[in-house]
């Protein structure tokens, strides 16, 4: 919405939320307090806020005065009831539709921006239409429902929005579709704006994420084979990526994909396939998630093996907790499962991340951090534990191993000579993101393992 405001000075954009605190932070003059860390977003907000971009909790008034409303709420996986663990919980989408139905005036175009299961537009349409049924003709309002899925990736969101590969608009009324297309035409070439029916648009979003995730599971599965055979997954990726039919993107083997969408969207696809009685299709996509879970556990198992079969009382530096670099988002981050496994094995983790807050890690690991004094006493108990280390230089103190889980740029610049002086001996560097220079680590007298490298095993 901020980018739309930035690119379309003639359009007034109002972002509304029921969460007062969040709206307060979006309006804060201290830009470091914005609720989302996203490179470049603060500059956009600086340019537009209170010009043609507002953040407000006045939902009723803003629905009534808007011509177009984007529903952009989260759709987490259901945890209970029908479809638990797979289907999306549409509670928030539904309640948005009900709010719009009550307060909208005249003709309103309702746009699904949230990633939704196929045929959700029908649910929204039903709610909107039912709300008008009992009204006199003179009081009736009208609606169009469009699907306009978002393809931006976190960390590069502003660039992805400014230079999108495509903008997808699904609907059944060309007038409404053109109205939305017209907004994007302020900065996106006409040829890049694709118009489809509603269901294709909804399904294309899920499919795009499923294909991307599938590539990562594919290359991660090959990384295990590389380690077993002496091949190198980076060389394999380069070799296959030069085939223009395959392409070079999304072929970096890592600790397993994370983020709020990949797993959720695939599970949604699995649920849909089962619902439509297509069990083979469901199990094909389910295997992408199964492989990802297996791969995350593989990384922690391997660390136990390298450290002589036990992590009890061993200190391990964890570099990076976010699900990828340039974001403070930890949702479904591989770091969560891997750290839990290491703690379960009795390890003491020194966690560093330039952007993730200690409170978030506490929530993700479901465990309080310890303070230094406690380490000395608890050390004898063989219990796993963790603490946060603010400065990167301090993370190496007395550790037995370093595990890199996020590809933050700072980690590629570590001076391993000086780090190794602080570490216990023998000590290991496990690089799950291929960001460190192998020679520098080995020259510093450290053992080295990296993902998918048969020669470092
Ligand atoms: C993903 C899609 O890339 C976006 O197109 C989509 O709009 C978005 O989900 C969404 O639906 O919200 P995002 O989750 O922000 O974007 O991040 P990605 O860059 O796709 O990375 C996802 C995970 O895959 C990360 O954990 C990343 O480290 C991992 N990854 C990515 C790899 O392990 N290897 C790669 O080569 C690429």
């Amino acid at each position: 919405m901020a980018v739309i405001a930035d690119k379309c000075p003639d359009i007034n954009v109002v972002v509304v939320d029921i969460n007062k605190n969040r709206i307060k932070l979006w309006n804060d003059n201290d830009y470091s307090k914005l609720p989302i860390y996203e490179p470049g977003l603060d500059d956009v907000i600086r340019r537009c806020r209170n010009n043609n971009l507002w953040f407000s909790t006045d939902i009723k008034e803003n629905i009534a005065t808007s011509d177009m409303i984007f529903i952009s709420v989260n759709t987490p996986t259901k945890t209970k009831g029908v479809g638990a663990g797979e289907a999306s919980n549409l509670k928030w989408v539904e309640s948005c539709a009900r709010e719009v139905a009550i307060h909208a005036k005249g003709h309103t175009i309702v746009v699904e921006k949230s990633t939704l299961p196929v045929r959700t537009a029908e649910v929204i349409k039903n709610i909107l239409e039912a709300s008008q049924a009992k009204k006199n003709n003179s009081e009736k309002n009208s609606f169009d429902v469009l699907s306009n899925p978002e393809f931006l990736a976190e960390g590069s969101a502003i660039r992805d929005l400014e230079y999108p590969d495509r903008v997808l608009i699904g609907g059944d009324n060309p007038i409404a579709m053109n109205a939305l297309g017209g907004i994007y035409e302020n900065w996106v070439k006409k040829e890049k704006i694709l118009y489809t029916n509603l269901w294709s648009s909804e399904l294309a979003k899920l499919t795009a994420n499923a294909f991307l995730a599938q590539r990562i599971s594919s290359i991660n599965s090959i990384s295990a084979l590389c380690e077993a055979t002496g091949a190198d997954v980076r060389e394999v990726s380069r070799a296959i990526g030069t085939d223009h039919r395959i392409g070079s993107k999304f072929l970096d083997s890592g600790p397993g994909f994370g983020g709020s969408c990949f797993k959720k969207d695939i599970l949604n696809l699995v649920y849909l396939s089962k619902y439509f009685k297509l069990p083979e299709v469901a199990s094909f996509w389910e295997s992408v998630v199964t492989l990802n879970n297996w791969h995350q556990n593989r990384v922690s198992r391997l660390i136990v093996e390298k450290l002589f079969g036990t992590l009890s009382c061993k200190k391990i530096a964890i570099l990076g907790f976010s699900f990828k670099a340039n974001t403070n988002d930890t949702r479904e981050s591989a770091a969560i499962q891997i750290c839990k496994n290491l703690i379960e094995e009795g390890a003491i983790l020194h966690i560093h991340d330039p952007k993730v807050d200690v409170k978030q890690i506490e929530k993700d690991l479901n465990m309080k951090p310890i303070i230094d004094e406690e380490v000395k006493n608890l050390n004898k108990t063989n219990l796993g534990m963790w603490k946060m280390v603010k400065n990167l230089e301090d993370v190496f103190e007395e550790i037995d191993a370093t595990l890199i889980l996020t590809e933050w740029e700072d980690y590629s610049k570590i001076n391993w000579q000086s780090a190794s002086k602080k570490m216990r001996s023998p000590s290991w560097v496990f690089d799950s993101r291929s960001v460190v220079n192998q020679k520098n680590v080995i020259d510093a007298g450290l053992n080295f393992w990296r993902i998918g490298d048969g020669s470092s095993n």
Side-chain angles (χ1 to χ4, degrees), residues 161-214:
L161 286 163
E162 288 178 340
Y163 306 100
D165 286 342
R166 78 317 211 168
V167 167
L168 184 56
I169 297 174
D172 44 28
N173 178 0
I175 298 171
M177 292 163 85
N178 286 332
L180 179 56
I183 294 178
Y184 287 104
E185 277 179 32
N186 279 290
W187 76 98
V188 181
K189 283 196 184 122
K190 259 189 166 148
E191 322 69 274
K192 290 199 167 187
I193 304 176
L194 312 181
Y195 297 93
T196 66
N197 75 28
L198 271 168
W199 327 124
S200 303
S201 171
E202 289 177 337
L203 187 59
K205 169 64 193 177
L206 296 183
T207 309
N209 273 354
F211 266 60
L212 290 170
Q214 173 268 122

